[in-house]
Amino acid sequence: MIIGGRSIARMVPPTQSGPITRLVGTLDIDGKGTDHPLDQCDPFILLDQAVIPKSDLPPFGAHPHRGHSVVTVLLQGKMKSWDSFGAGGSEGTVIKGPASYWVDAGSGVFHDETTIVDDPADPLQHINLFQLWVGVKEEDRLKPAALQYDIDLPVRELWDEANDSVVGSARYFVGGGGKIQTPHPITVAQVTQHPGKTLQFPIESTHGGFIVHMEGCASYGKEAKEPTTLKNAVHVLADTSNEMENYITVSTSNAADGSDTKYLVCVGEKIQEPWCKKLVANGAIIAKTEDEARDIASNVEKYAKSGLEGGSFSPFGTAK
């Protein structure tokens, strides 16, 4: 069998940082944060995974975001989200997984999110999530902040066209006809693929990103030699100039217990613009230069949890 489509440039193992597993991320301009071998993957600048068994975590409180988009992929459990521009009122909004919520930080917003676990002894109530930071163009960094939720995620059957059979399904947290509207094309999908099957999952040839192996056993890409079993291993897509390579081939192994393989596909249109990150007040500022990032960060400390009028700290205003 000839396997075509996109190639995988490299596989990157996860980095444990306390209760958080970091899959993509970098130190900020002052060397703060968690060092990781995969510092970015255009258009993505950070990805964390966590399983949280208790309520009222993380203990950050209201913290700033600026100059990027943040999507929380809530696989299981309940969380409360609050933002300074007033979404959900003063008490915030409670969502239950599977669900996604997307924050366009724009020119600046204060944000908080905490877990809700009524019975810590029940593992089905534990929060299981990914949080993905998405880079945006400079014009989008100057817009007002906005928030979106999707609790009715589309689920699509996935077919092996050659054999005319269903090989699994994809739940779309972003893209796939869901409610989340993004500044540029982004797809975030959890794929469940049956054992002993081969799938061609569609990915635009110009898009960048990666696949996170969640469970099971699978080979990713047209040149895969060894199947992957390592949980949270990140498979980075290689660039291609061939517009016909608009999919990734995934082949799953037959499991003794007949269990499926699961993986998270994160792909999107590349930004291809410079950015710098400055950590401040348990949050992050993304700007086009170090000087701008430091200047904005110094202003963040001046604003209270309620933010400025309209809910944005926006030190440099918003786009006209």
Side-chain angles (χ1 to χ4, degrees):
M1 178 176 62
I2 299 176
I3 296 178
R6 300 286 294 268
S7 297
I8 296 298
R10 59 176 172 146
M11 188 274 281
V12 183
T15 298
Q16 198 69 30
S17 177
I20 302 296
T21 302
R22 179 139 298 174
L23 309 181
V24 180
T26 183
L27 302 175
D28 79 346
I29 55 178
D30 294 324
K32 297 178 180 179
T34 301
D35 198 8
H36 185 71
L38 183 57
D39 61 356
Q40 61 176 304
C41 185
D42 196 2
F44 306 110
I45 58 180
L46 181 141
L47 177 63
D48 285 341
Q49 188 275 334
V51 175
I52 308 172
K54 298 180 181 180
S55 285
D56 302 319
L57 293 174
F60 297 150
H63 55 278
H65 287 283
R66 188 271 181 191
H68 57 292
S69 297
V70 180
V71 58
T72 297
V73 176
L74 185 58
L75 302 173
Q76 174 184 287
K78 291 190 296 184
M79 295 196 73
K80 180 169 69 173
S81 173
W82 173 91
D83 292 273
S84 59
F85 51 80
S90 60
E91 296 301 317
T93 300
V94 175
I95 62 170
K96 183 179 180 180
S100 61
Y101 59 95
W102 177 286
V103 178
D104 285 312
S107 55
V109 64
F110 288 101
H111 173 71
D112 190 18
E113 55 190 347
T114 54
T115 58
I116 300 174
V117 181
D118 298 321
D119 182 5
D122 181 3
L124 295 179
Q125 295 189 33
H126 295 175
I127 282 70
N128 187 356
L129 62 78
F130 289 90
Q131 187 171 90
L132 180 67
W133 293 11
V134 185
V136 299
K137 294 183 179 296
E138 177 64 14
E139 62 190 56
D140 294 313
R141 297 179 189 138
L142 303 179
K143 294 178 180 178
L147 175 67
Q148 304 172 73
Y149 297 95
D150 194 349
I151 58 175
D152 187 21
L153 303 173
V155 178
R156 314 291 185 203
E157 286 187 334
L158 299 174
W159 283 75
D160 177 356
E161 300 293 346
N163 296 301
D164 193 29
S165 62
V166 175
V167 298
S169 63
R171 172 176 280 118
Y172 287 87
F173 289 84
V174 181
K179 297 177 182 178
I180 303 295
Q181 301 296 308
T182 59
H184 49 88
I186 296 290
T187 296
V188 179
Q190 182 192 28
V191 177
T192 300
Q193 188 167 328
H194 303 325
K197 301 296 183 180
T198 296
L199 168 69
Q200 293 181 348
F201 190 88
I203 298 174
E204 292 289 338
S205 61
T206 56
H207 286 190
F210 46 80
I211 297 174
V212 180
H213 183 81
M214 297 174 63
E215 60 184 69
C217 183
S219 299
Y220 300 98
K222 66 178 181 181
E223 297 167 353
K225 296 180 180 179
E226 296 293 333
T228 297
T229 58
L230 177 62
K231 183 177 180 179
N232 289 329
V234 180
H235 296 76
V236 182
L237 289 170
D239 290 337
T240 180
S241 58
N242 184 353
E243 63 181 17
M244 298 301 292
E245 294 185 336
N246 57 358
Y247 61 91
I248 183 82
T249 299
V250 182
S251 298
T252 55
S253 301
N254 282 307
D257 62 357
S259 59
D260 293 332
T261 290
K262 294 184 180 182
Y263 51 93
L264 189 72
V265 178
C266 302
V267 293
E269 182 181 85
K270 294 185 176 182
I271 301 303
Q272 297 181 317
E273 290 187 10
W275 58 270
C276 297
K277 179 176 72 175
K278 176 73 172 76
L279 300 177
V280 59
N282 292 322
I285 304 302
I286 304 294
K288 62 183 177 181
T289 67
E290 289 192 15
D291 287 344
E292 183 184 32
R294 294 185 196 281
D295 198 8
I296 295 173
S298 67
N299 279 283
V300 167
E301 301 286 1
K302 301 177 183 178
Y303 301 101
K305 179 177 179 179
S306 60
L308 295 178
E309 181 180 354
S312 172
F313 57 76
S314 305
F316 291 95
T318 57
K320 301 296 185 183

